[in-house]
Amino acid sequence: MIRPLLQVTAAVGALALVPVTTGAMAAVDTSSYRELDVFMDIYNRVKADYVEKVDDKTLIKGAIDGMLASLDPHSSFADDLEFDNMRLQTDGNYGGLGLSVTMEDGAVKVITATEDTPAWRAGIKPGDYITHLDGKLIYGGTLDEAISQMRGPPGTKITVRIVRPGRDKPIDLDITRATIIQKAVKWEVKDGVGVLNINTFSANTAPEMRAGIAAIEKQLGGKPRGYVIDLRGNGGGLLDQAIQVSDAFLSHGEIVSQRGREKSDIERWYAKADDLARGLPLVVLVDAGTASASEIVAGALQDHHRALVLGEKTFGKGSVQTLLQLGPRSLLRLTTARYYTPSGRSVQEGGIQPDLLVPQISDPDYKSRPVFREADLRRHLINEIKVDNSILEEDTKTDPRFAATPEELKKKGIDDFQLHYALQTIARTAAAPARVADGAAGKRGGR
């Protein structure tokens, strides 16, 4: 079984998987056999002399995990509990909190809390560390053990203790588990603008987005002023859905290319359909949680100058994983290629730089909360073309547009500053042609 997905892996909260493009197996040379002899010597010594008896399955699993971990953060092997956790995350609903987490130096770190889930409503944020569950320290355990403890029947309660960088004391939260149903696309109309909040790229994302566009036009009785495509916190998903979403707003040109180990191993995808938005202004919202398939969409619309990308630099995952099911309850995720935007950019490490850098100043913790991206992961793939953004990143001057405090914004009814700024940008863009036309008409009338 091979499933096509593009997403941040379990090491950072999701998966990136696409079909295998080559089936060749690496040739085993003579030196490989010598290395295998060393491996078997160590294996036999551990079996014979380790202080406690160790079963074969534990040793083989450890060897496989170590081999894949030496490659990059996204190649891994899953069986038993890990397989069940991944299946629940990608295929079905489950009772839990709605968190994506990773393990960092023995601690469970939050990647993101899915919108409208118990964790999100409780205020858990990216960068938080979960230290205790129901009063029991979980530091030093495995990630799957922690995930299993957080999951449970809907309606049951759990106490979660988090440590938030920048806060002096831990925070205890009593949270009631719920059935986690991640709706791929949510839509709404704000100030005459259609807002498409794409949370993941699952099997129904493109159809749901098209239905959202139709519903927005029906509610307004016509076209909106423009569209905001919100990809913040979207860790990725199916490659074909990312292509279809990009294609919905492009009428021609390349969307994304995938390149393997060999120079000739290149696959490209092109836009085929007409622009569903019919040329209306587009703003794409991104942040550090925008990854993989989401970066494909943002990069394609940015390169074709079809949308203005607004927010903060994205995660920067430009590698492709192939998912091979090896048995009924085991699978291999292996990095097999890199992907590139239409202009030939690799987002690996560097991510997508927004056209308008807009911080989320409505979040009181945005300055103190650490942000991590692909470049922070151990053994991440290196981008062949290094881009030096150190001068931009060292600019600490406060932009007057972003000087308001969360309290000041709240008094104005602004809970999401980035979305507010995107709506204002659409309004200015949509109004510009009208002003030009009015001016031209005035000149003609005066002749």
Side-chain angles (χ1 to χ4, degrees), residues 44 63 77 83 132 209 217 241 243 266 286 319 364 419:
N44 290 326
F77 174 72
F83 180 84
H132 294 73
M209 187 200 68
E217 292 186 355
Q241 295 298 303
I243 292 170
I266 301 177
V286 298
S319 62
L419 177 58

Side-chain angles (χ1 to χ4, degrees), residues 110-113 119 123-128 162 164 167 363-365 369:
V110 175
I111 299 167
T112 188
I124 295 180
K125 298 179 180 180
D128 288 346
I162 63 172
R164 179 170 297 164
R167 297 288 184 94
D363 179 0
D365 297 308
R369 188 172 64 252

Side-chain angles (χ1 to χ4, degrees), residues 90 115 158 298 424:
T90 58
E115 188 176 353
I158 185 172
Q424 286 188 320

Side-chain angles (χ1 to χ4, degrees), residues 69-87:
S70 70
L71 302 176
D72 67 88
H74 308 300
S75 295
S76 63
F77 174 72
D79 67 351
D80 297 334
L81 180 61
E82 295 167 335
F83 180 84
D84 290 338
N85 283 335
M86 194 197 71
R87 180 181 56 80

Side-chain angles (χ1 to χ4, degrees), residues 42 115 155 225 242:
I42 296 173
E115 188 176 353
R225 305 169 78 176

Side-chain angles (χ1 to χ4, degrees), residues 160-242:
V160 179
R161 173 171 290 183
I162 63 172
V163 172
R164 179 170 297 164
R167 297 288 184 94
D168 295 333
K169 297 180 179 180
I171 304 170
D172 286 325
L173 300 169
D174 293 322
I175 308 176
T176 301
R177 298 181 180 93
T179 299
I180 306 302
I181 303 174
Q182 188 163 350
K183 187 172 175 59
V185 180
K186 299 177 183 178
W187 66 270
E188 61 181 330
V189 176
K190 284 183 172 290
D191 301 335
V193 176
V195 180
L196 297 163
N197 186 348
I198 303 178
N199 296 304
T200 185
F201 288 93
S202 63
N204 295 318
T205 297
E208 286 186 20
M209 187 200 68
R210 288 192 288 267
I213 291 175
I216 288 169
E217 292 186 355
K218 182 179 179 180
Q219 179 173 320
L220 289 171
K223 297 179 183 179
R225 305 169 78 176
Y227 289 96
V228 173
I229 305 171
D230 191 347
L231 297 176
R232 293 174 297 175
N234 184 332
L238 293 164
L239 172 62
D240 70 317
Q241 295 298 303

Side-chain angles (χ1 to χ4, degrees), residues 9-14 81-89 94-103 107-111 130 133 138 141-153 158 160 177 180 333:
T9 63
V12 292
L81 180 61
E82 295 167 335
F83 180 84
D84 290 338
N85 283 335
M86 194 197 71
R87 180 181 56 80
L88 284 170
Q89 186 176 11
Y94 61 92
L97 306 180
L99 281 172
S100 293
V101 295
T102 185
M103 184 68 74
V108 176
K109 185 176 183 178
V110 175
I111 299 167
I130 299 175
L133 294 172
I138 61 171
T142 68
L143 184 61
D144 286 292
E145 288 171 347
I147 291 172
S148 296
Q149 291 178 59
M150 285 186 279
R151 290 193 176 137
I158 185 172
V160 179
R177 298 181 180 93
I180 306 302
R333 291 174 293 208

